[in-house]
Amino acid sequence: EIFGKHFLHILNSERLVGNFNIHLMDKLLVYINESIFGGDRKVMNILKGLLTEDEIQLEGKYMNSFTGRSHMKFIFSSNEDWVVPVQHDDRRYMVIDISDQYSGVD
């Protein structure tokens, strides 16, 4: 609610890395829930650009693409062991592994 129209919740990786991405325009916080597999090379390369570039190429259906400023920050969450494509020397991600002790699961 704090971010209002500048927040986006993504449940499908195609909405993040697909051709038609106009919904990313003007977003500040993008929450990606259970939709990325860390071993997908195509997704990994696109994510690197989304995380580090100051500009993003935006495209809507039946529209010409255009370049816009990117102010996006991302939160990824998953129950999988490999959520994001982190490499041994990567500085793009901070991974927090929550213990089951705090989940309420026995």
Side-chain angles (χ1 to χ4, degrees):
E1 291 180 8
I2 291 174
F3 291 98
K5 70 176 187 169
H6 302 290
F7 172 80
L8 180 63
H9 183 182
I10 291 182
L11 295 169
N12 179 336
S13 64
E14 276 303 307
R15 291 195 29 98
L16 184 64
V17 299
N19 289 341
F20 304 118
N21 63 353
I22 194 79
H23 51 274
L24 296 175
M25 188 172 69
D26 297 331
K27 298 304 181 250
L28 295 175
L29 182 62
V30 180
Y31 173 50
I32 300 140
N33 185 22
E34 299 287 356
S35 61
I36 300 293
F37 167 62
D40 188 334
R41 275 238 179 282
K42 175 190 170 203
V43 171
M44 177 176 69
N45 291 330
I46 294 171
L47 280 177
K48 283 181 181 180
L50 287 174
L51 291 167
T52 58
E53 297 294 326
D54 292 332
E55 294 183 334
I56 182 174
Q57 193 71 23
L58 297 160
E59 182 177 0
K61 255 187 184 174
Y62 312 113
M63 293 176 59
N64 291 331
S65 65
F66 61 96
T67 301
R69 294 276 301 153
S70 175
H71 301 284
M72 292 183 288
K73 302 300 180 209
F74 298 89
I75 297 174
F76 299 86
S77 67
S78 179
N79 291 317
E80 300 296 327
D81 291 330
W82 194 1
V83 181
V84 290
V86 178
Q87 297 172 326
H88 73 282
D89 61 345
D90 206 333
R91 299 180 310 269
R92 291 177 179 87
Y93 301 97
M94 179 178 85
V95 177
I96 302 171
D97 189 10
I98 307 299
S99 168
D100 286 341
Q101 173 184 352
Y102 302 105
S103 70
V105 176
D106 292 327

